[in-house]
């Protein structure tokens, strides 16, 4: 598949040098299981690139599960990611799978990962290292095979320096880093996008 065919297939619009370079990198890393960290301001298309990576990978026939870490309240995020057993907390009326189990053999896209609380970051790091976790309230370990793509509109190195993001998790996630430039820095793509939306 050529870069142009890749862009056409996965809805990536742009002919700027920045977009061409990003597509080249994405086409190379998609086939591996390496973690990818995508930077970009809100609206730059982080999820479009995450979907392209998944759909061009060997996991394309499995699920891509997207989670906005900034939109889920801190007290619920852990249960959403790892699931829970019936009765493990007030309101846990039944066993529930978390996003890691739902995405097993596929890809988990953690959007706005910079918003994730430090306590949850510790548990996420453990899953990335061991590929296993326990549902809340369970004593049984669950094994998963999930590729992680994370995205942030914050500079995670700055978050690490400010002690708001774990350094070890940051290094685990940033095996490959992509930065999607805002439209103001690739003005030659504006009319292509406008035509696409029209």
């Amino acid at each position: 598949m050529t870069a142009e065919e890749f862009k056409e297939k996965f809805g990536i619009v742009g002919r700027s040098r920045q977009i061409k370079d990003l597509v080249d990198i994405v086409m190379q890393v998609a086939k591996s299981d390496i973690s990818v960290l995508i930077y970009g301001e809100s609206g730059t298309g982080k999820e479009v690139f995450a979907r392209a990576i998944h759909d061009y990978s060997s996991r394309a026939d499995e699920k891509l599960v997207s989670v906005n870490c900034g939109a889920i309240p801190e007290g619920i995020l852990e249960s959403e990611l790892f699931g829970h057993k019936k009765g493990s907390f007030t309101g846990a009326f039944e066993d529930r799978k978390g996003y890691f189990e739902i995405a097993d053999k596929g890809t988990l896209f953690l959007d706005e990962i910079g918003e994730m609380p430090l306590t949850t970051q510790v548990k996420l790091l453990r899953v990335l290292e061991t590929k296993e976790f326990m549902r809340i309230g369970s004593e049984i370990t669950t094994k998963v095979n999930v590729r992680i793509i994370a995205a942030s509109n914050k500079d995670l190195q700055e978050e690490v320096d400010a002690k708001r993001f774990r350094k070890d998790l940051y290094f685990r996630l940033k095996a490959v880093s992509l930065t999607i430039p805002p439209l103001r820095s690739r003005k030659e793509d504006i009319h292509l996008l406008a035509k696409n939306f029209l």
Side-chain angles (χ1 to χ4, degrees), residues 124-137:
L124 174 60
L125 178 64
R126 176 164 172 73
V127 181
L128 296 182
E129 289 174 341
T130 65
K131 306 219 179 302
E132 59 185 33
F133 64 91
M134 284 190 275
R135 288 185 187 179
I136 295 172

Side-chain angles (χ1 to χ4, degrees), residues 18-19 21 38 69 111 119 128 148 189 197:
Q18 297 102 308
I19 293 297
D21 289 346
I38 305 173
C69 300
D111 198 7
T119 51
L128 296 182
I148 299 292
D189 291 340
F197 291 134

Side-chain angles (χ1 to χ4, degrees), residues 34-180:
I34 202 164
S35 297
V36 180
L37 181 57
I38 305 173
Y39 286 111
E41 295 175 13
S42 295
T44 51
K46 296 186 291 293
E47 190 157 1
V48 171
F49 276 90
R51 183 163 294 282
I53 292 167
H54 171 76
D55 288 346
Y56 195 59
S57 76
S58 58
R59 297 173 182 261
D61 293 335
E62 303 292 341
K63 287 184 179 173
L64 168 66
V65 178
S66 297
V67 183
N68 186 331
C69 300
I72 302 171
E74 182 174 339
I76 302 172
L77 182 59
E78 192 177 322
S79 168
E80 292 290 304
L81 288 174
F82 308 117
H84 60 256
K85 295 291 286 179
K86 179 180 178 180
S88 56
F89 55 86
T90 306
F93 300 119
E94 59 187 7
D95 288 1
R96 184 183 179 284
K97 284 184 177 182
Y99 292 127
F100 268 95
E101 275 182 90
I102 294 167
D104 191 25
K105 299 185 181 66
T107 305
L108 185 60
F109 175 51
L110 298 172
D111 198 7
E112 303 308 346
I113 196 164
E115 304 296 331
M116 184 179 281
L118 284 164
T119 51
T120 311
Q121 288 178 34
V122 174
K123 294 183 177 172
L124 174 60
L125 178 64
R126 176 164 172 73
V127 181
L128 296 182
E129 289 174 341
T130 65
K131 306 219 179 302
E132 59 185 33
F133 64 91
M134 284 190 275
R135 288 185 187 179
I136 295 172
S138 175
E139 296 171 2
I140 299 167
T141 300
T142 303
K143 283 193 108 42
V144 285
N145 175 3
V146 175
R147 182 192 196 162
I148 299 292
I149 302 174
S152 179
N153 59 14
K154 294 179 175 179
D155 183 331
L156 291 187
Q157 182 61 63
E158 288 181 8
E159 295 298 295
V160 167
D161 294 342
K163 306 278 192 266
R164 290 188 294 263
F165 201 84
R166 289 184 63 93
K167 187 176 185 178
D168 44 8
L169 177 58
Y170 172 58
F171 283 110
R172 172 74 60 166
L173 291 170
K174 75 172 196 103
V176 173
S177 295
L178 306 175
T179 301
I180 304 174

